[in-house]
Amino acid sequence: MSDQFTFTVTNKTELAITELWVSIDDQEWASFNLGELGIPSGETATIAWAEYTNGSPCEWYISAVFEDESETESALFNFCKEPALTIG
């Protein structure tokens, strides 16, 4: 069995996060499945990377979409140095 890399996302906004998107180049984006409830306000979720990303760089752009369909600006994040992300 291969290693499963994970990171956490803490939602410190007043809205649920319904979508979480990542990109290596800020051009082509892939989403994580956050389930039906997403990440509710005040909650922390553990997110697992897909196995195909195991050999990828540590730095990824990340963007969140909220229940009112607003979204964050994309931001570059180093998941190797700090695998805990706070939004809000």
Side-chain angles (χ1 to χ4, degrees), residues 52-86:
Y52 75 85
T53 65
N54 285 0
S56 66
C58 292
E59 292 187 335
W60 287 73
Y61 290 90
I62 191 159
S63 180
V65 178
F66 299 98
E67 62 187 318
D68 67 355
E69 299 184 11
S70 64
E71 60 187 70
T72 63
E73 294 286 327
S74 63
L76 191 60
F77 191 76
N78 188 319
F79 288 93
C80 296
K81 287 185 179 178
E82 184 56 53
L85 174 66
T86 299

Side-chain angles (χ1 to χ4, degrees), residues 2 5 13-14 18 20 30 37-38 41 51 62 64 66 69 75 83-85:
S2 64
F5 295 103
T13 71
E14 296 195 11
T18 56
L20 196 61
L37 297 177
S41 175
E51 188 175 330
I62 191 159
F66 299 98
E69 299 184 11
L85 174 66

Side-chain angles (χ1 to χ4, degrees), residues 14-51:
E14 296 195 11
L15 298 170
I17 297 171
T18 56
E19 298 175 33
L20 196 61
W21 293 82
V22 291
S23 171
I24 289 179
D25 58 9
D26 204 23
Q27 301 290 319
E28 293 184 36
W29 293 83
S31 65
F32 287 99
N33 180 353
L34 300 180
E36 189 175 313
L37 297 177
I39 305 171
S41 175
E43 299 284 322
T44 298
T46 299
I47 311 291
W49 288 96
E51 188 175 330

